[in-house]
Amino acid sequence: MDISADKVKKLRDQTGAGMMDCKAALQEAGGDLEQAILVLRKKGIASASKKAGRTASEGVITSYIHPGSKIGVLVEVNCETDFVARTKEFQDFAHEIAVQIAAMNPQYRSGEDIPAEVMNREREILLDQLATSGKPENVKKQIVEGRLEKWYTESVFMDQPFVKDDSQKMHDFINNHIAKFGENIVIRRYVRFKLGESAE
């Protein structure tokens, strides 16, 4: 069934779960918002959202240089207390985040960071590619939405598959660690360098 973007956003705002998880939960719940929340809670996706509003101003800045020294990442990962920030487990977690960014090159941290005009442009490009395909409009729409979803999961850090376990998305990996540490965790900012990529 077709789920509106507004409904997905509403569920995301209420639970803090990822866009794709919200969409899947709404489809599973037949479009019912309350049932979709239950679906997410049963999967443990919504549980971390209770901590999501808490201030995370401690943490670490960590770096990762890929073997061969042609790709490097600098990332700030925040938690709530210096006590957690200093643990080896948290520092290992931050390292995993840096490795993910090096490997997957996310263009946006979360779905909220994608400007509306970028999404519209991607949709237009995909529609233009199918303009002369001779396919019915409803089929074109399905193809475009499928390709847009693929582009989204490739471009958005929180919705990318975790490189070391592609059965979970990055927001699952982070939420699992929020539960483990008992603190809110925020991937505040990052920069990825690739040798020569800015050269004319």
mmCIF file of all heavy atoms in Angstrom, residues 67-104:
data_model
loop_
_atom_site.group_PDB
_atom_site.id
_atom_site.type_symbol
_atom_site.label_atom_id
_atom_site.label_comp_id
_atom_site.label_asym_id
_atom_site.label_seq_id
_atom_site.Cartn_x
_atom_site.Cartn_y
_atom_site.Cartn_z
ATOM 1 N N PRO A 67 43.825 1.993 5.014
ATOM 2 C CA PRO A 67 45.116 1.492 4.510
ATOM 3 C C PRO A 67 45.392 1.991 3.092
ATOM 4 O O PRO A 67 44.523 1.940 2.227
ATOM 5 C CB PRO A 67 44.924 -0.040 4.532
ATOM 6 C CG PRO A 67 43.951 -0.271 5.656
ATOM 7 C CD PRO A 67 43.024 0.917 5.620
ATOM 8 N N GLY A 68 46.607 2.480 2.895
ATOM 9 C CA GLY A 68 46.961 3.090 1.610
ATOM 10 C C GLY A 68 46.976 4.603 1.717
ATOM 11 O O GLY A 68 47.484 5.298 0.844
ATOM 12 N N SER A 69 46.419 5.130 2.821
ATOM 13 C CA SER A 69 46.444 6.567 3.139
ATOM 14 C C SER A 69 45.845 7.451 2.052
ATOM 15 O O SER A 69 46.299 8.567 1.824
ATOM 16 C CB SER A 69 47.879 7.018 3.441
ATOM 17 O OG SER A 69 48.381 6.287 4.536
ATOM 18 N N LYS A 70 44.794 6.965 1.373
ATOM 19 C CA LYS A 70 44.146 7.785 0.345
ATOM 20 C C LYS A 70 42.753 8.254 0.766
ATOM 21 O O LYS A 70 42.168 9.111 0.116
ATOM 22 C CB LYS A 70 44.074 7.008 -0.969
ATOM 23 C CG LYS A 70 45.472 6.751 -1.533
ATOM 24 C CD LYS A 70 45.461 6.307 -2.963
ATOM 25 C CE LYS A 70 46.902 6.198 -3.469
ATOM 26 N NZ LYS A 70 46.962 5.713 -4.842
ATOM 27 N N ILE A 71 42.223 7.668 1.846
ATOM 28 C CA ILE A 71 40.932 8.091 2.396
ATOM 29 C C ILE A 71 41.092 8.271 3.902
ATOM 30 O O ILE A 71 41.680 7.414 4.575
ATOM 31 C CB ILE A 71 39.814 7.062 2.104
ATOM 32 C CG1 ILE A 71 39.527 6.991 0.606
ATOM 33 C CG2 ILE A 71 38.524 7.415 2.861
ATOM 34 C CD1 ILE A 71 38.544 5.911 0.212
ATOM 35 N N GLY A 72 40.603 9.396 4.412
ATOM 36 C CA GLY A 72 40.660 9.659 5.849
ATOM 37 C C GLY A 72 39.369 10.292 6.334
ATOM 38 O O GLY A 72 38.669 10.961 5.564
ATOM 39 N N VAL A 73 39.047 10.045 7.599
ATOM 40 C CA VAL A 73 37.813 10.570 8.198
ATOM 41 C C VAL A 73 38.115 11.171 9.559
ATOM 42 O O VAL A 73 38.926 10.640 10.324
ATOM 43 C CB VAL A 73 36.758 9.438 8.353
ATOM 44 C CG1 VAL A 73 35.582 9.892 9.216
ATOM 45 C CG2 VAL A 73 36.265 8.965 6.998
ATOM 46 N N LEU A 74 37.465 12.283 9.852
ATOM 47 C CA LEU A 74 37.483 12.906 11.171
ATOM 48 C C LEU A 74 36.029 13.020 11.598
ATOM 49 O O LEU A 74 35.207 13.552 10.844
ATOM 50 C CB LEU A 74 38.129 14.289 11.084
ATOM 51 C CG LEU A 74 38.612 14.958 12.370
ATOM 52 C CD1 LEU A 74 39.690 14.118 13.051
ATOM 53 C CD2 LEU A 74 39.154 16.342 12.059
ATOM 54 N N VAL A 75 35.685 12.479 12.771
ATOM 55 C CA VAL A 75 34.287 12.466 13.200
ATOM 56 C C VAL A 75 34.159 12.821 14.680
ATOM 57 O O VAL A 75 35.003 12.436 15.487
ATOM 58 C CB VAL A 75 33.620 11.096 12.897
ATOM 59 C CG1 VAL A 75 34.317 9.958 13.634
ATOM 60 C CG2 VAL A 75 32.137 11.105 13.234
ATOM 61 N N GLU A 76 33.113 13.580 15.011
ATOM 62 C CA GLU A 76 32.786 13.897 16.406
ATOM 63 C C GLU A 76 31.574 13.070 16.798
ATOM 64 O O GLU A 76 30.508 13.161 16.187
ATOM 65 C CB GLU A 76 32.464 15.387 16.576
ATOM 66 C CG GLU A 76 32.086 15.740 18.010
ATOM 67 C CD GLU A 76 31.752 17.216 18.206
ATOM 68 O OE1 GLU A 76 32.049 18.022 17.304
ATOM 69 O OE2 GLU A 76 31.185 17.545 19.261
ATOM 70 N N VAL A 77 31.762 12.230 17.825
ATOM 71 C CA VAL A 77 30.686 11.375 18.342
ATOM 72 C C VAL A 77 30.427 11.785 19.787
ATOM 73 O O VAL A 77 31.336 11.721 20.614
ATOM 74 C CB VAL A 77 31.069 9.877 18.257
ATOM 75 C CG1 VAL A 77 29.912 9.011 18.749
ATOM 76 C CG2 VAL A 77 31.458 9.492 16.842
ATOM 77 N N ASN A 78 29.203 12.202 20.067
ATOM 78 C CA ASN A 78 28.863 12.707 21.402
ATOM 79 C C ASN A 78 28.068 11.705 22.226
ATOM 80 O O ASN A 78 27.283 10.915 21.692
ATOM 81 C CB ASN A 78 28.041 13.997 21.299
ATOM 82 C CG ASN A 78 28.809 15.137 20.657
ATOM 83 O OD1 ASN A 78 28.263 15.902 19.880
ATOM 84 N ND2 ASN A 78 30.090 15.272 20.973
ATOM 85 N N CYS A 79 28.289 11.766 23.536
ATOM 86 C CA CYS A 79 27.480 11.034 24.505
ATOM 87 C C CYS A 79 27.184 12.014 25.653
ATOM 88 O O CYS A 79 27.472 13.199 25.533
ATOM 89 C CB CYS A 79 28.201 9.783 24.993
ATOM 90 S SG CYS A 79 29.827 10.116 25.715
ATOM 91 N N GLU A 80 26.604 11.522 26.737
ATOM 92 C CA GLU A 80 26.174 12.432 27.807
ATOM 93 C C GLU A 80 27.229 12.685 28.881
ATOM 94 O O GLU A 80 27.239 13.750 29.491
ATOM 95 C CB GLU A 80 24.911 11.888 28.470
ATOM 96 C CG GLU A 80 23.705 11.861 27.550
ATOM 97 C CD GLU A 80 22.491 11.256 28.219
ATOM 98 O OE1 GLU A 80 22.208 11.596 29.388
ATOM 99 O OE2 GLU A 80 21.814 10.434 27.584
ATOM 100 N N THR A 81 28.087 11.694 29.144
ATOM 101 C CA THR A 81 29.041 11.853 30.251
ATOM 102 C C THR A 81 30.468 11.563 29.804
ATOM 103 O O THR A 81 30.705 10.738 28.914
ATOM 104 C CB THR A 81 28.702 10.890 31.420
ATOM 105 O OG1 THR A 81 28.844 9.536 30.962
ATOM 106 C CG2 THR A 81 27.285 11.124 31.934
ATOM 107 N N ASP A 82 31.406 12.205 30.476
ATOM 108 C CA ASP A 82 32.821 11.986 30.228
ATOM 109 C C ASP A 82 33.197 10.555 30.620
ATOM 110 O O ASP A 82 34.077 9.947 30.008
ATOM 111 C CB ASP A 82 33.639 13.005 31.034
ATOM 112 C CG ASP A 82 35.120 12.915 30.721
ATOM 113 O OD1 ASP A 82 35.465 12.920 29.529
ATOM 114 O OD2 ASP A 82 35.921 12.821 31.663
ATOM 115 N N PHE A 83 32.497 10.022 31.621
ATOM 116 C CA PHE A 83 32.759 8.653 32.084
ATOM 117 C C PHE A 83 32.595 7.660 30.937
ATOM 118 O O PHE A 83 33.462 6.815 30.701
ATOM 119 C CB PHE A 83 31.798 8.295 33.236
ATOM 120 C CG PHE A 83 31.881 6.860 33.660
ATOM 121 C CD1 PHE A 83 32.923 6.410 34.455
ATOM 122 C CD2 PHE A 83 30.923 5.939 33.238
ATOM 123 C CE1 PHE A 83 33.018 5.072 34.825
ATOM 124 C CE2 PHE A 83 31.005 4.602 33.603
ATOM 125 C CZ PHE A 83 32.053 4.170 34.407
ATOM 126 N N VAL A 84 31.471 7.754 30.211
ATOM 127 C CA VAL A 84 31.234 6.859 29.065
ATOM 128 C C VAL A 84 32.211 7.170 27.930
ATOM 129 O O VAL A 84 32.757 6.265 27.304
ATOM 130 C CB VAL A 84 29.762 6.955 28.578
ATOM 131 C CG1 VAL A 84 29.591 6.320 27.197
ATOM 132 C CG2 VAL A 84 28.827 6.275 29.570
ATOM 133 N N ALA A 85 32.455 8.456 27.681
ATOM 134 C CA ALA A 85 33.342 8.868 26.575
ATOM 135 C C ALA A 85 34.738 8.267 26.708
ATOM 136 O O ALA A 85 35.386 7.971 25.703
ATOM 137 C CB ALA A 85 33.422 10.388 26.514
ATOM 138 N N ARG A 86 35.191 8.077 27.961
ATOM 139 C CA ARG A 86 36.557 7.589 28.183
ATOM 140 C C ARG A 86 36.671 6.063 28.120
ATOM 141 O O ARG A 86 37.775 5.538 28.164
ATOM 142 C CB ARG A 86 37.095 8.111 29.526
ATOM 143 C CG ARG A 86 37.508 9.578 29.434
ATOM 144 C CD ARG A 86 38.202 10.084 30.686
ATOM 145 N NE ARG A 86 37.240 10.415 31.734
ATOM 146 C CZ ARG A 86 37.173 9.809 32.918
ATOM 147 N NH1 ARG A 86 37.996 8.842 33.221
ATOM 148 N NH2 ARG A 86 36.282 10.182 33.809
ATOM 149 N N THR A 87 35.544 5.365 28.036
ATOM 150 C CA THR A 87 35.615 3.895 27.999
ATOM 151 C C THR A 87 36.128 3.411 26.646
ATOM 152 O O THR A 87 35.901 4.051 25.617
ATOM 153 C CB THR A 87 34.237 3.251 28.266
ATOM 154 O OG1 THR A 87 33.331 3.634 27.218
ATOM 155 C CG2 THR A 87 33.672 3.655 29.617
ATOM 156 N N LYS A 88 36.820 2.269 26.682
ATOM 157 C CA LYS A 88 37.330 1.671 25.443
ATOM 158 C C LYS A 88 36.171 1.305 24.515
ATOM 159 O O LYS A 88 36.270 1.460 23.295
ATOM 160 C CB LYS A 88 38.167 0.430 25.769
ATOM 161 C CG LYS A 88 38.803 -0.183 24.520
ATOM 162 C CD LYS A 88 39.638 -1.394 24.841
ATOM 163 C CE LYS A 88 40.368 -1.910 23.611
ATOM 164 N NZ LYS A 88 39.488 -2.254 22.493
ATOM 165 N N GLU A 89 35.047 0.851 25.107
ATOM 166 C CA GLU A 89 33.886 0.446 24.305
ATOM 167 C C GLU A 89 33.338 1.619 23.484
ATOM 168 O O GLU A 89 33.009 1.463 22.305
ATOM 169 C CB GLU A 89 32.765 -0.115 25.192
ATOM 170 C CG GLU A 89 33.071 -1.455 25.808
ATOM 171 C CD GLU A 89 33.864 -1.356 27.107
ATOM 172 O OE1 GLU A 89 34.248 -0.215 27.488
ATOM 173 O OE2 GLU A 89 34.097 -2.406 27.720
ATOM 174 N N PHE A 90 33.273 2.811 24.108
ATOM 175 C CA PHE A 90 32.752 3.973 23.391
ATOM 176 C C PHE A 90 33.738 4.408 22.307
ATOM 177 O O PHE A 90 33.335 4.756 21.187
ATOM 178 C CB PHE A 90 32.468 5.141 24.339
ATOM 179 C CG PHE A 90 31.804 6.307 23.660
ATOM 180 C CD1 PHE A 90 30.430 6.308 23.429
ATOM 181 C CD2 PHE A 90 32.535 7.397 23.214
ATOM 182 C CE1 PHE A 90 29.805 7.358 22.775
ATOM 183 C CE2 PHE A 90 31.927 8.459 22.565
ATOM 184 C CZ PHE A 90 30.558 8.438 22.345
ATOM 185 N N GLN A 91 35.025 4.356 22.628
ATOM 186 C CA GLN A 91 36.032 4.751 21.639
ATOM 187 C C GLN A 91 36.072 3.775 20.459
ATOM 188 O O GLN A 91 36.239 4.187 19.306
ATOM 189 C CB GLN A 91 37.393 4.908 22.325
ATOM 190 C CG GLN A 91 37.391 6.130 23.236
ATOM 191 C CD GLN A 91 38.619 6.254 24.104
ATOM 192 O OE1 GLN A 91 39.649 5.668 23.837
ATOM 193 N NE2 GLN A 91 38.497 7.044 25.163
ATOM 194 N N ASP A 92 35.860 2.483 20.757
ATOM 195 C CA ASP A 92 35.774 1.486 19.678
ATOM 196 C C ASP A 92 34.540 1.760 18.808
ATOM 197 O O ASP A 92 34.587 1.638 17.585
ATOM 198 C CB ASP A 92 35.675 0.072 20.262
ATOM 199 C CG ASP A 92 36.995 -0.401 20.852
ATOM 200 O OD1 ASP A 92 38.033 0.253 20.604
ATOM 201 O OD2 ASP A 92 36.990 -1.408 21.587
ATOM 202 N N PHE A 93 33.440 2.131 19.465
ATOM 203 C CA PHE A 93 32.204 2.464 18.746
ATOM 204 C C PHE A 93 32.441 3.659 17.811
ATOM 205 O O PHE A 93 32.055 3.634 16.641
ATOM 206 C CB PHE A 93 31.096 2.778 19.759
ATOM 207 C CG PHE A 93 29.901 3.465 19.174
ATOM 208 C CD1 PHE A 93 28.977 2.765 18.402
ATOM 209 C CD2 PHE A 93 29.689 4.824 19.390
ATOM 210 C CE1 PHE A 93 27.871 3.409 17.854
ATOM 211 C CE2 PHE A 93 28.591 5.472 18.848
ATOM 212 C CZ PHE A 93 27.683 4.754 18.076
ATOM 213 N N ALA A 94 33.098 4.705 18.328
ATOM 214 C CA ALA A 94 33.390 5.895 17.510
ATOM 215 C C ALA A 94 34.276 5.527 16.317
ATOM 216 O O ALA A 94 34.090 6.043 15.202
ATOM 217 C CB ALA A 94 34.053 6.967 18.373
ATOM 218 N N HIS A 95 35.216 4.604 16.548
ATOM 219 C CA HIS A 95 36.089 4.138 15.463
ATOM 220 C C HIS A 95 35.261 3.448 14.373
ATOM 221 O O HIS A 95 35.500 3.666 13.170
ATOM 222 C CB HIS A 95 37.143 3.177 16.026
ATOM 223 C CG HIS A 95 38.014 2.564 14.976
ATOM 224 N ND1 HIS A 95 39.048 3.234 14.364
ATOM 225 C CD2 HIS A 95 37.983 1.328 14.391
ATOM 226 C CE1 HIS A 95 39.619 2.450 13.461
ATOM 227 N NE2 HIS A 95 38.996 1.291 13.456
ATOM 228 N N GLU A 96 34.285 2.634 14.794
ATOM 229 C CA GLU A 96 33.410 1.945 13.831
ATOM 230 C C GLU A 96 32.636 2.958 12.981
ATOM 231 O O GLU A 96 32.420 2.757 11.784
ATOM 232 C CB GLU A 96 32.421 1.024 14.549
ATOM 233 C CG GLU A 96 33.049 -0.128 15.294
ATOM 234 C CD GLU A 96 33.562 -1.235 14.400
ATOM 235 O OE1 GLU A 96 33.565 -1.068 13.165
ATOM 236 O OE2 GLU A 96 33.972 -2.271 14.936
ATOM 237 N N ILE A 97 32.223 4.057 13.618
ATOM 238 C CA ILE A 97 31.500 5.119 12.894
ATOM 239 C C ILE A 97 32.418 5.722 11.826
ATOM 240 O O ILE A 97 32.003 5.939 10.679
ATOM 241 C CB ILE A 97 31.008 6.211 13.873
ATOM 242 C CG1 ILE A 97 29.993 5.645 14.878
ATOM 243 C CG2 ILE A 97 30.434 7.416 13.111
ATOM 244 C CD1 ILE A 97 28.691 5.148 14.296
ATOM 245 N N ALA A 98 33.667 5.982 12.199
ATOM 246 C CA ALA A 98 34.630 6.563 11.253
ATOM 247 C C ALA A 98 34.897 5.613 10.078
ATOM 248 O O ALA A 98 34.973 6.047 8.919
ATOM 249 C CB ALA A 98 35.933 6.900 11.982
ATOM 250 N N VAL A 99 35.010 4.318 10.370
ATOM 251 C CA VAL A 99 35.235 3.314 9.317
ATOM 252 C C VAL A 99 34.045 3.290 8.355
ATOM 253 O O VAL A 99 34.214 3.225 7.126
ATOM 254 C CB VAL A 99 35.471 1.913 9.936
ATOM 255 C CG1 VAL A 99 35.467 0.830 8.852
ATOM 256 C CG2 VAL A 99 36.792 1.877 10.697
ATOM 257 N N GLN A 100 32.837 3.356 8.914
ATOM 258 C CA GLN A 100 31.617 3.371 8.100
ATOM 259 C C GLN A 100 31.631 4.550 7.118
ATOM 260 O O GLN A 100 31.334 4.395 5.937
ATOM 261 C CB GLN A 100 30.388 3.471 9.011
ATOM 262 C CG GLN A 100 29.059 3.639 8.292
ATOM 263 C CD GLN A 100 28.532 2.357 7.675
ATOM 264 O OE1 GLN A 100 28.967 1.269 8.027
ATOM 265 N NE2 GLN A 100 27.595 2.477 6.748
ATOM 266 N N ILE A 101 31.981 5.726 7.631
ATOM 267 C CA ILE A 101 31.997 6.938 6.798
ATOM 268 C C ILE A 101 33.063 6.821 5.705
ATOM 269 O O ILE A 101 32.827 7.191 4.556
ATOM 270 C CB ILE A 101 32.221 8.188 7.678
ATOM 271 C CG1 ILE A 101 30.997 8.398 8.587
ATOM 272 C CG2 ILE A 101 32.476 9.433 6.831
ATOM 273 C CD1 ILE A 101 31.231 9.346 9.749
ATOM 274 N N ALA A 102 34.213 6.255 6.056
ATOM 275 C CA ALA A 102 35.276 6.062 5.063
ATOM 276 C C ALA A 102 34.814 5.119 3.959
ATOM 277 O O ALA A 102 35.033 5.372 2.770
ATOM 278 C CB ALA A 102 36.528 5.506 5.737
ATOM 279 N N ALA A 103 34.139 4.038 4.344
ATOM 280 C CA ALA A 103 33.736 3.015 3.379
ATOM 281 C C ALA A 103 32.547 3.433 2.521
ATOM 282 O O ALA A 103 32.515 3.170 1.324
ATOM 283 C CB ALA A 103 33.404 1.714 4.116
ATOM 284 N N MET A 104 31.564 4.105 3.135
ATOM 285 C CA MET A 104 30.278 4.328 2.468
ATOM 286 C C MET A 104 30.060 5.754 1.961
ATOM 287 O O MET A 104 29.090 6.022 1.265
ATOM 288 C CB MET A 104 29.132 3.941 3.401
ATOM 289 C CG MET A 104 29.156 2.471 3.802
ATOM 290 S SD MET A 104 28.919 1.346 2.419
ATOM 291 C CE MET A 104 27.152 1.497 2.181
#
